[in-house]
Amino acid sequence: MSRLVAVSNRVAAPIAGKSAGGLAVGVLAALRERGGVWFGWSGKTTARDPGDPKLKRSGAIEFATIDINDRDCDRYYNGFSNDTLWPLLHYMLGFFRYSRAEYEAYRRVNELFAQKLKPLLRADDLIWVHDYHLFLLGSALRRMNVAQPIGFFLHVPFPSFNVLRTLPGYEHLLSALASYDVVGFQTEGDLESFQDCLKQAEIGGEVHGDGRVTAFGRTFRAGAFPIGIDVDECQTVAVANFESRDIRRLAHSLRGRKFIVGVDRLDYSKGLELRFRAYEALLERYPTALGNVVFLQIAPPTRTGVRAYDSIREDLERAAGNINGRFAEIDWVPIRYLNRGYPRERLMSILRLADVGVVTPIRDGMNLVAKEYVASQDPDDPGILVLSTLCGAARELDAAVLVNPYDRQTVADGLQSAIAMPVAERRERYLTMIDVLKRNDIHHWCRRFTDTLQDAASGR
Ligand code: ADQ
């Protein structure tokens, strides 16, 4: 079997007690299954030439990391990746900002990744590039005569042409994607948006019926590969920690009240303030909820230093303070808002304890927390997922209570129906969803993508 070389912006060696983002959870699971190399940024910057990658082995995985030049790092990461591409790809043009200098830094960092990765490669490697920070890596590697199969997976949504063309030079991104052998998206909808962009007159691409597309003089595969989770691991971890002191303390503090949980990175795409306001609407509309429901939101800060992220924390603290000030009683606080990460084991048990999991992003490629919430439930007495229609997970988890996150009344009604749902209906919905999750788990996702890549490359 070929060696798998995964490449992403950051490399996340598993550290007990530290939270990993969605991409890291997926890449780690893929590499644990078949071993290989994970290459990416160390998180450090340097004023000198970054030198050779630092190598560190942990079990079957070799971690290879490089530093990035001081002058490019902020423009590449905070700038073009997170202030330009992230809002663009999430259809949130109100946050979109563009600077030519930041794009140039992004291009240079993609080149640097290619230069430092090339010497580590073996002839039979499969290279799997992850996410929007590295759109240009495939074309940079091809210019350096790297001939191994290279695939690209986008963890976030792919927008429609009318949104994409907001970006000056969007054609460069599309043409860079044509250097890969396989380009993967989270949903059929994202794939269709991509195909539609290629078919525009100014691009002149062609979509063949068999999963291949031709554009910029190359024919390659483009497909939907919805990311899954490790269902068994999730269940095992959730059960194993359920009797821990922390979880017992949390359960005791609820005093039999209904328990709603939300777990997200602190990001404007996750719709957290709208969610707080929807919970406020629940307390306004359903007097039985007063004193009888507790909402716990766990949201560790990310991307501190990116302008748009600095204000979210304050907005949320204000909203939580408002709602608690308005409704709290001497022995009941309606919202518990925790602004920090949690060890994965504890998190899965918290999800298991919750009667309702609320996942209401205003745009999300997939959303693994939605899947983890379902997987961590007790099959005999499962909780219910209230899920945004605007995330990739809603395609597979259509037995959840689906809501439009912009409509606070609908979300409030959805929360109430989840709280009041009889156990027979909860079990039925759980069985439908767990079946979907097991059929498309993380191992299936990884195998499907790497098999497609291997296959595309042999037909090349
Ligand atoms: P993210 O935007 O990071 O991922 P998500 O898919 O929900 O979002 O994954 C978050 C992961 O981090 C989950 O596994 C969750 O358990 C973990 N996590 C979140 N908050 C945590 C906390 N407080 N403590 C510990 N762990 C925490 C990106 C895309 C998504 C896509 C994934 C995977 O934005 O749309 O689903 O990649 O492709």
Side-chain angles (χ1 to χ4, degrees), residues 19-23 25 86 155-156 186 227 263-265 270 298 300 340-342 344 347-348 364-369 372:
S19 62
L23 179 149
V25 170
W86 179 270
H155 288 256
V156 300
Q186 296 276 26
I227 192 169
V263 175
D264 310 75
R265 283 185 306 101
K270 304 291 182 185
I298 299 177
R340 60 171 179 268
Y342 266 88
R344 185 170 173 77
L347 208 58
M348 295 306 122
D364 215 334
M366 177 54 65
N367 198 294
L368 297 182
V369 175
E372 290 164 347

Side-chain angles (χ1 to χ4, degrees), residues 279-287 290 326-327 408-409:
Y279 178 65
E280 183 178 33
L282 172 83
L283 301 178
E284 284 164 356
R285 285 161 78 87
Y286 297 95
L290 293 172
R326 195 174 154 204
F327 293 99
R408 61 195 286 263
Q409 316 297 346

